[in-house]
Amino acid sequence: MSVTEIQLFQILKAKLGEQEAEQLVSFVKAEVKSEFDNKREVLATKEDISNMQKTIYVVGLIQFLAIIGSVIGIVNFMIK
């Protein structure tokens, strides 16, 4: 048990009794762990962010090249 768990247990023990306090602390600990695991799956890792930055860079570069190609095509059309 961590310090906060022991503190919670001591507070609940005075009000509920030892066995009930222990069960409640275990339940709260399991719920917090479950909620943390759910939130952790949603968070992006450094690797995810790095991959996203690379993708954004590549897409931007492709868009830039497409714009340059379009401008060259329009200029060629206007010259002829």
Side-chain angles (χ1 to χ4, degrees), residues 40 43-50:
R40 185 176 55 188
L43 296 175
T45 63
K46 288 181 181 180
E47 183 178 317
D48 294 337
I49 293 171
S50 174

Side-chain angles (χ1 to χ4, degrees), residues 13-61:
K13 180 179 160 183
K15 303 234 181 219
L16 301 174
E18 189 170 338
Q19 186 176 6
E20 290 81 7
E22 187 175 340
Q23 288 174 348
L24 187 55
V25 169
S26 295
F27 174 76
V28 169
K29 182 178 179 181
E31 287 299 312
V32 168
K33 183 179 180 339
S34 173
E35 187 67 25
F36 176 76
D37 289 342
N38 290 338
K39 298 288 182 185
R40 185 176 55 188
E41 292 175 9
V42 177
L43 296 175
T45 63
K46 288 181 181 180
E47 183 178 317
D48 294 337
I49 293 171
S50 174
N51 290 338
M52 191 182 313
Q53 287 175 338
K54 290 176 187 175
T55 302
I56 291 171
Y57 175 76
V58 169
V59 168
L61 181 62

